[in-house]
Amino acid sequence: MFEPDGIAPDKEKIAALLADESRQEELFQQADSVRRRYVGDAVHLRGLIEFSNICRNNCMYCGIRCGNKQVCRYRMAEEEVVATACRAADMGFKTIVLQSGEDIYYTSDRMCRIIEAIKKRDVAVTLSIGEREYKEYKAFRDAGADRYLMRIETTDKDLYHRLDPGMSWQHRYECLLMIRELGYELGSGIMVGLPGQSIESIAADLLFLKDLRIDMAGIGPFIPHPQTPLAKEKGGTLELSLRTMAVMRLLLPDINIPATTAMESLHPDGRIKALRAGANVVMPNVTEGEYRKLYELYPGKAGADETPLHSRSIIGEKIKSIGRTIGTGYGSRRRTDVAARS
Ligand code: SAM
């Protein structure tokens, strides 16, 4: 193990920690105590709206890739997105996350109208809509968007280009730099257990995320989807995903780390396990009706049959049952490092 205030370990030491199943309980306990010390016991809830499953990309792992012709596609109208967000705000959510496939129907003007309407409520807005141009990121920010989430997925460029045909790792990285420069809170992350991904590569990913100075880290297992070219792959384990997340907490002790839905999809208490191993955020799905089932990135997605209220109350009870509280503010990152003091 290592202390967050000490010298960050090198890639080899991180890889050894990730590989060591025998000491994982010790790692989880340390990540949990660092989480308590740096970000406290509050769990911040973000209401997630999956507003379109239309995507121009063809990522090999993703159930909504454009090549999957079996998906029934949907796109929510502007007013519908805003109304869903307002209902989530009424339920007490202080952050609304807008996520979609890379659907360019939502032009800069459309997205800005949605963001401005939601920002009339007392909420932070997070976008997770993929790669756009600088002027679009700027327009969204000017319209009031607070945060942006875009996973780098892996820093192994060869693996990335094999899994994300037609996309450029360098371009995705440059988008992340633009987002950070525009003053968004920046979220990124990876999938764990991609075919051909080594432990050393995951260790390199964690150091990359640290160097990128992210404010939020989304780390989840890759879960093979039967309607994708990776259907027969093994997928990531909950344990390795939790160890990866726990090491992220030690490397960046004051950031926001969600207990991801993919973790809950592998185990009925996956999110609780994550909250006890360094996570401090949960993103209950507030998408309504049939749309929920149609945003199937991977099979067995936790909560697909629930209603927003049900999702909110189930996770609320679970959080209280482990002695944690539900955050009442926006739950923005509160920096404790040098950048915050200068
Ligand atoms: N289009 C946006 C983007 O690219 O950032 C956001 C939507 S994308 C579907 C959200 C995330 O889902 C991806 O970044 C990826 O990490 C995750 N994802 C996709 N397919 C998955 C799978 N089979 N298992 C686990 N996670 C998956």
Side-chain angles (χ1 to χ4, degrees), residues 51 97-101 126-130 147-150 295:
F51 65 94
V97 183
L98 300 177
Q99 193 182 88
S100 67
T126 304
L127 300 178
S128 176
I129 61 173
R147 308 179 187 139
Y148 207 103
L149 274 179
M150 187 163 64
Y295 197 85

Side-chain angles (χ1 to χ4, degrees), residues 96-278:
I96 305 297
V97 183
L98 300 177
Q99 193 182 88
S100 67
E102 297 215 9
D103 183 357
I104 47 173
Y105 164 83
Y106 297 93
T107 56
S108 194
D109 286 350
R110 286 195 173 110
M111 279 313 299
C112 287
R113 281 198 295 270
I114 293 172
I115 295 162
E116 278 161 11
I118 297 175
K119 285 297 286 183
K120 292 201 177 115
R121 303 295 303 259
D122 180 23
V123 290
V125 169
T126 304
L127 300 178
S128 176
I129 61 173
E131 295 176 34
R132 296 279 180 135
E133 289 178 23
Y134 182 88
K135 59 175 191 274
E136 298 182 281
Y137 289 136
K138 180 162 184 342
F140 305 154
R141 180 90 183 112
D142 291 343
D146 303 276
R147 308 179 187 139
Y148 207 103
L149 274 179
M150 187 163 64
R151 288 182 178 176
I152 193 71
E153 318 293 5
T154 171
T155 54
D156 176 338
K157 298 186 185 65
D158 291 340
L159 179 61
Y160 182 90
H161 292 125
R162 277 202 304 280
L163 296 182
D164 298 88
M167 294 175 72
S168 150
W169 187 92
Q170 185 63 26
H171 185 256
R172 201 162 178 88
Y173 173 52
E174 281 162 14
C175 286
L176 289 167
L177 297 181
M178 289 181 222
I179 292 164
R180 192 181 67 189
E181 188 223 296
L182 284 163
Y184 286 92
E185 274 191 62
L186 175 63
S188 192
I190 58 159
M191 275 180 286
V192 171
L194 290 166
Q197 183 187 42
S198 64
I199 289 278
E200 289 69 27
S201 162
I202 298 175
D205 295 345
L206 290 176
L207 290 172
F208 167 86
L209 294 171
K210 181 175 167 65
D211 284 349
L212 189 58
R213 292 184 278 116
I214 55 169
D215 302 293
M216 317 175 257
I219 291 166
F222 154 61
I223 305 177
H225 189 293
Q227 292 161 2
T228 64
L230 303 185
K232 297 214 157 47
E233 297 294 339
K234 261 176 66 193
T237 64
L238 178 62
E239 279 68 27
L240 180 56
S241 306
L242 290 172
R243 291 200 293 279
T244 306
M245 192 200 71
V247 175
M248 184 86 270
R249 171 60 73 200
L250 302 186
L251 286 171
L252 286 170
D254 62 3
I255 64 168
N256 284 320
I257 302 185
T260 53
T261 310
M263 290 178 174
E264 187 88 348
S265 305
L266 289 187
H267 187 285
D269 270 331
R271 285 184 301 194
I272 290 298
K273 286 174 185 282
L275 287 173
R276 291 180 138 159

